[in-house]
Amino acid sequence: MENNLDYGGSEWVPEAPSGEPERQYYFMDRVRELVERKKREGYGASCLVNVIGCQMSAKDAEKLRGILKGCGYREAESEDDADVILFTTCTVRENANQKLYGRIGRLKHQCERRKGMILGITGCMMQEKDEVETIRKRYPYVKLIFGTHNVYKLAELLYRTLRRDERTVEIIDDTSLIVENLPSLRKTGFRASVNISYGCNNFCTYCIVPYVRGREKSRSSEEILRECRDLVRDGVKEIMLLGQNVNSYGLDREELRFPELLRRVSEIPGLRRIRFMTPNPKDFSEELIDLIGERENICRHIHLPLQSGSTEVLRRMNRHYTKESYLALVRRIRKKLPDVSLTTDIIVGFPGESERDFQDTMDVVRRVGFDSAFTFVYSKRSGTPAAKWEGVSEELVKDRFHRLLDAVRESSSENEGRDIGKVMEVLVEERDREKPGFLTGRLSNNILVHFRGGERLIGELVSVELLESRGFYYMGRLL
Ligand code: SAH
Ligand code: SF4
């Protein structure tokens, strides 16, 4: 605990319960009383939670929104209308940090002008001491700073900030605590994500996640299943199970293994689609492939991060698989699941990456035929082992990045249109943003479909005939 930062985070409130989540419900009640009192003086009590980063960050935002609602806040229409603005942050690459500074810089005037305004920042970036120091010194109008391990404590931290009208900073280095049964507020009614584990034990040498999200902690399968059942009862049709490495779910405690957990989730009556993110290729089992084949409601889409196609680079990345074993896994998946779509993440310019290494990546891209790939330029993260290794020149990285993008485009275009003429099930997501009278939905394999239809179909599963391919999406006809 010595390394924790706590500038007034923990005020002694003797009558507050010490157990969780009761303690947080106690503080939600206290904040609500304060907010009600302030409302009589003209306080708007509106809030906004902004997400920078991945699905984990978005999931944290849902929890923060749920707690804020429990504290008596309503969702603001826009940033200008908000009395509390929170950011969940990302620090996986340097540009994510820059994004946050840009956004909070633009909020300076509002924070200084608006009485009682609270700007708060949480998430991965706040687990980095240097970033917290920068915010403390250069952004005095940021009133609330907390990390990834105490998101559940928002009500308590907000209570202190409101009562004392001064800045609260509380960062915890790591914890084994998982607080269940706090409120959460989703933006879409028909889709939801569910954490199955927190943190990561893999320590890929480029990655900051294990340092900012802590050691891997699996949630109890009972809690996961209960949450999934409640969501389905609430009308949710599609659930995404979230973990940094879903395949190592349960290894840290007496628990089910991931395929068994997935099977039980897929057996929940009424749950039409299940996705999961992210499996690590190093332990993607045969049992999991078979299960996906067996259960129709497990989506035909596997996101299988490659990172590099070079066995030598993978070794230095500490990924625990080789070019050959990755390709063999893809062959096994394709054999048993011929209709599955594969997507991936690739890093270009990892320290020491030679042209030959890069050619191995290009080779894997061409051989696998990914439907899409997120391609990233390597970003040095201080504190990770790779940060000490000599980098690849910017010029080379740029050149490789463009060549890789071309290869990805080319290989994904080979898959385009493969399902033309078929009738497939689509989960309708929203109105088509460009074409009035049209809707956008998603196939089980994650590919988008646009078709004419009425808004009342949003959130429904419908049958659509795929008529034409337009690159990364289809045009279809509702049946
Ligand atoms: N747990 C997931 C990844 C989480 S981070 C997994 O193992 O697949 C999401 C992606 O960001 C990674 O797959 C990787 O491609 C990319 N990434 C992580 N650290 C990075 C860094 N330092 N520079 C560039 N990209 C990085
Ligand atoms: Fe980062 Fe590797 Fe863990 Fe993914 S598995 S979060 S890339 S350390």
Side-chain angles (χ1 to χ4, degrees):
M1 295 291 275
E2 263 157 43
N3 281 326
N4 297 346
L5 284 178
D6 186 344
Y7 303 99
S10 303
E11 185 182 65
W12 178 237
V13 181
E15 63 282 12
S18 54
E20 297 291 5
E22 296 76 15
R23 184 173 172 87
Q24 297 314 311
Y25 280 100
Y26 170 88
F27 281 108
M28 273 183 244
D29 290 343
R30 297 293 79 73
V31 175
R32 213 166 37 238
E33 285 163 8
L34 277 180
V35 165
E36 282 307 317
R37 216 175 305 147
K38 280 160 71 76
K39 268 180 167 172
R40 280 177 235 131
E41 297 154 18
Y43 186 63
S46 65
C47 67
L48 203 69
V49 183
N50 291 316
V51 178
I52 299 179
C54 66
Q55 276 102 335
M56 295 286 175
S57 198
K59 185 69 198 175
D60 284 346
E62 290 182 0
K63 296 176 184 173
L64 296 169
R65 286 189 195 107
I67 296 172
L68 283 167
K69 188 174 176 209
C71 288
Y73 284 84
R74 64 174 172 89
E75 283 268 316
E77 308 266 313
S78 65
E79 229 165 45
D80 317 334
D81 166 49
D83 297 290
V84 172
I85 298 180
L86 300 181
F87 281 88
T88 63
T89 58
C90 173
T91 188
V92 84
R93 288 170 290 275
E94 180 60 30
N95 52 9
N97 297 31
Q98 296 315 326
K99 201 164 166 183
L100 176 82
Y101 288 124
R103 295 203 47 190
I104 60 173
R106 288 197 287 278
L107 286 166
K108 180 167 192 263
H109 287 298
Q110 183 171 339
C111 289
E112 287 168 354
R113 245 186 10 237
R114 200 175 178 109
K115 200 168 166 259
M117 168 90 195
I118 293 179
L119 174 58
I121 309 178
T122 177
C124 291
M125 201 176 148
M126 296 304 97
Q127 294 296 137
E128 290 193 274
K129 294 220 162 63
D130 291 351
E131 303 295 349
V132 172
E133 270 318 292
T134 304
I135 291 175
R136 274 165 44 77
K137 288 201 188 105
R138 296 207 205 131
Y139 299 87
Y141 54 91
V142 174
K143 284 279 155 61
L144 181 54
I145 301 175
F146 55 115
T148 55
H149 302 293
N150 46 358
V151 162
Y152 75 92
K153 265 180 96 172
L154 172 64
E156 183 170 350
L157 299 171
L158 191 59
Y159 176 70
R160 277 160 198 159
T161 318
L162 282 166
R163 267 231 352 206
R164 299 207 226 139
D165 196 20
E166 61 186 40
R167 171 184 270 175
T168 304
V169 182
E170 189 190 90
I171 313 288
I172 296 161
D173 266 358
D174 200 356
T175 173
S176 54
L177 184 71
I178 297 181
V179 178
E180 298 286 357
N181 297 315
L182 278 168
S184 178
L185 196 63
R186 280 172 296 121
K187 286 231 153 149
T188 54
F190 55 91
R191 262 187 322 180
S193 54
V194 171
N195 295 112
I196 66 166
S197 59
Y198 302 97
C200 185
N201 287 350
N202 282 350
F203 290 95
C204 302
T205 53
Y206 51 83
C207 185
I208 194 133
V209 170
Y211 306 89
V212 294
R213 289 264 167 191
R215 290 298 66 68
E216 188 168 75
K217 299 183 284 286
S218 300
R219 273 180 84 191
S220 98
S221 57
E222 262 172 48
E223 291 291 350
I224 295 167
L225 287 161
R226 185 196 48 75
E227 185 177 347
C228 292
R229 277 189 221 105
D230 287 351
L231 287 166
V232 174
R233 212 171 299 129
D234 244 28
V236 165
K237 306 248 168 50
E238 177 176 305
I239 287 180
M240 164 81 88
L241 301 177
L242 288 180
Q244 293 298 349
N245 176 8
V246 292
N247 291 326
S248 59
Y249 171 78
L251 298 179
D252 57 319
R253 59 189 286 171
E254 283 278 303
E255 254 310 343
L256 308 175
R257 297 292 170 262
F258 181 62
E260 185 50 30
L261 174 74
L262 185 60
R263 171 187 298 283
R264 293 197 191 179
V265 172
S266 79
E267 284 167 353
I268 295 174
L271 179 54
R272 304 289 297 274
R273 285 187 171 180
I274 304 130
R275 301 183 185 277
F276 53 87
M277 197 72 161
T278 310
N280 190 310
K282 79 181 161 74
D283 37 28
F284 202 108
S285 67
E286 218 51 38
E287 191 188 353
L288 182 56
I289 302 176
D290 290 338
L291 178 70
I292 300 171
E294 241 171 77
R295 304 288 310 169
E296 219 176 298
N297 58 356
I298 303 179
C299 287
R300 279 0 190 202
H301 170 218
I302 300 174
H303 184 68
L304 200 60
L306 170 68
Q307 314 301 2
S308 168
S310 152
T311 295
E312 173 52 22
V313 171
L314 287 167
R315 189 186 62 74
R316 284 188 292 110
M317 284 178 162
N318 195 31
R319 290 290 289 180
H320 296 282
Y321 53 88
T322 62
K323 176 183 181 183
E324 289 68 32
S325 68
Y326 186 94
L327 286 169
L329 172 61
V330 169
R331 276 196 297 275
R332 288 203 308 278
I333 292 175
R334 290 248 194 259
K335 193 162 168 227
K336 289 190 173 161
L337 307 167
D339 57 344
V340 89
S341 83
L342 289 174
T343 58
T344 199
D345 292 348
I346 300 171
I347 297 175
V348 177
F350 182 75
E353 181 191 72
S354 67
E355 178 58 27
R356 239 176 98 187
D357 293 321
F358 177 67
Q359 283 306 331
D360 277 328
T361 301
M362 296 282 272
D363 187 39
V364 176
V365 167
R366 290 192 197 105
R367 285 162 74 170
V368 174
F370 294 108
D371 282 84
S372 66
F374 295 102
T375 48
F376 305 108
V377 166
Y378 167 73
S379 173
K380 184 179 187 168
R381 307 318 288 137
S382 64
T384 62
K388 296 198 194 79
W389 304 339
E390 202 177 323
V392 179
S393 80
E394 214 174 292
E395 212 178 311
L396 275 178
V397 173
K398 248 194 204 156
D399 176 58
R400 286 178 195 166
F401 188 75
H402 291 298
R403 283 191 282 155
L404 179 65
L405 275 190
D406 288 342
V408 167
R409 255 184 240 129
E410 206 172 295
S411 90
S412 66
S413 70
E414 281 164 23
N415 296 331
E416 281 167 21
R418 68 176 168 218
D419 290 320
I420 286 183
K422 288 190 191 158
V423 172
M424 294 177 91
E425 197 172 61
V426 172
L427 178 59
V428 187
E429 292 187 352
E430 56 187 4
R431 272 188 294 159
D432 189 325
R433 287 182 207 159
E434 270 139 43
K435 267 189 159 178
F438 277 71
L439 299 168
T440 301
R442 214 173 274 273
L443 299 169
S444 163
N445 65 14
N446 214 34
I447 293 173
L448 291 172
V449 185
H450 298 247
F451 56 98
R452 191 180 283 284
E455 272 179 50
R456 66 184 169 77
L457 293 177
I458 293 174
E460 298 297 323
L461 280 141
V462 295
S463 290
V464 174
E465 182 183 6
L466 306 180
L467 300 175
E468 191 191 326
S469 167
R470 299 256 177 99
F472 60 91
Y473 67 91
Y474 285 102
M475 292 306 297
R477 182 170 65 92
L478 179 67
L479 294 183

